[in-house]
Amino acid sequence: MGQTRLESLSDEQREKLDLFARLLIEHNERLNLTRIIEPEEIKTKHFEDSLAPLEMFIDYQNNTDRLPSLADIGSGGGFPGLVLAAVLPEWHIVSIEATGKKADFQQLVVEELQLMNAEVINDRAETLSQEPEYRETFDFALNRAVGTVSLVAEITGGLVRRGGYFLSYKGPKVDDELKTGAEALKLMGFARPEQIPYKTSGEEAADLRILRAKKIKSTPRKYPREFKYIKKRHLGM
Ligand SMILES: C[S@@+](CC[C@H](N)C(=O)[O-])C[C@H]1O[C@@H](n2cnc3c(N)ncnc32)[C@H](O)[C@@H]1O
């Protein structure tokens, strides 16, 4: 087997991730950030998994004159956003998390790992999506384990600039989710999504994919709706 994405990192980047793992274990009992707390599992299911689209980002960075940016929405204990921030120093990375204690933990990680390129915001994504400072400004908006495609398309799609991408870390259920999710992405201004399979060394047999859709039109002003309406009727239904 070739090198894993973790093995391809520099010593400095790996040291940062080791410190991240120690902070996660130390604070997890109090904050209940994750069920994955065995060091080996943290490496594969949090770090390697977060790094799944790394080549895509490096390729993007090599082909743009912009300072590339990404927003990770519903980042919990900092996944995948802060792992990416540790290995993509050229990127401006904004990690958005609705729960205060999780955002506070992420702020601690940013300080301890000295992630100068990362910013943590304790707010709801659908609120930020309607603010001019954030609306349609990011090259990428990512999410992992936040909700169905339809839900995350609406709460995160308004953050992506035209020409940028929506990414969602998914498993085999994505085909079902796409029955309404593909329409939701279209309403938010995205082209038909593609699925990019990936593997981690912990879960060779798991059927993991990155769902990727390119923004081709501006998101209509009426989206995202307030969360109470999003919850009542998912977009695309
Ligand atoms: C299951 S956790 C996943 C955390 C992380 N992405 C991961 O993969 O480990 C989902 C997180 O999304 C956050 N969240 C849910 N809806 C959100 C929203 N509309 N805006 C910001 N954060 C949200 C929750 O507070 C929670 O921490």
Side-chain angles (χ1 to χ4, degrees), residues 33-34 46 49 72-80 96-99 102 123-126 143-147 151 155 227:
L33 298 159
T34 176
H46 279 322
D49 194 66
D72 176 22
I73 291 102
S75 42
F79 307 109
I96 300 168
E97 170 50 51
T99 306
K102 295 184 182 178
D123 207 338
R124 295 194 64 89
E126 64 275 18
N143 62 84
R144 187 183 84 157
V146 178
L151 177 91
I155 65 175
F227 192 65

Side-chain angles (χ1 to χ4, degrees), residues 73 125-127 129-130 135 143 148-160 166 181 183-188 190 215 219-237:
I73 291 102
E126 64 275 18
T127 310
S129 289
Q130 288 291 8
R135 191 169 179 88
N143 62 84
T148 60
V149 174
S150 168
L151 177 91
V152 288
E154 182 163 5
I155 65 175
T156 75
L159 295 164
V160 181
F166 162 95
E183 180 60 17
L185 282 164
K186 189 171 166 195
L187 289 168
M188 293 298 287
F190 290 90
K215 190 137 188 206
T219 299
R221 286 277 8 151
K222 62 182 171 186
Y223 300 130
R225 296 165 294 159
E226 280 179 57
F227 192 65
K228 60 182 177 189
Y229 299 117
I230 298 178
K231 230 174 31 178
K232 211 187 262 176
R233 183 184 58 81
H234 280 193
L235 200 60
M237 286 188 118

Side-chain angles (χ1 to χ4, degrees), residues 101-193:
K101 62 176 189 166
K102 295 184 182 178
D104 289 347
F105 170 74
Q106 290 194 41
Q107 191 54 45
L108 174 81
V109 173
V110 165
E111 283 158 27
E112 294 285 323
L113 274 62
Q114 299 180 359
L115 303 175
M116 318 301 244
N117 56 335
E119 188 186 337
V120 180
I121 303 182
N122 174 209
D123 207 338
R124 295 194 64 89
E126 64 275 18
T127 310
L128 294 175
S129 289
Q130 288 291 8
E131 288 180 12
E133 189 183 345
Y134 298 102
R135 191 169 179 88
E136 305 213 306
T137 56
F138 291 95
D139 295 298
F140 286 81
L142 276 52
N143 62 84
R144 187 183 84 157
V146 178
T148 60
V149 174
S150 168
L151 177 91
V152 288
E154 182 163 5
I155 65 175
T156 75
L159 295 164
V160 181
R161 71 171 182 84
R162 269 175 73 176
Y165 294 89
F166 162 95
L167 295 189
S168 192
Y169 293 63
K170 288 286 176 190
K173 283 192 193 142
V174 71
D175 290 324
D176 273 349
E177 291 181 21
L178 277 171
K179 287 175 192 152
T180 51
E183 180 60 17
L185 282 164
K186 189 171 166 195
L187 289 168
M188 293 298 287
F190 290 90
R192 182 188 278 275

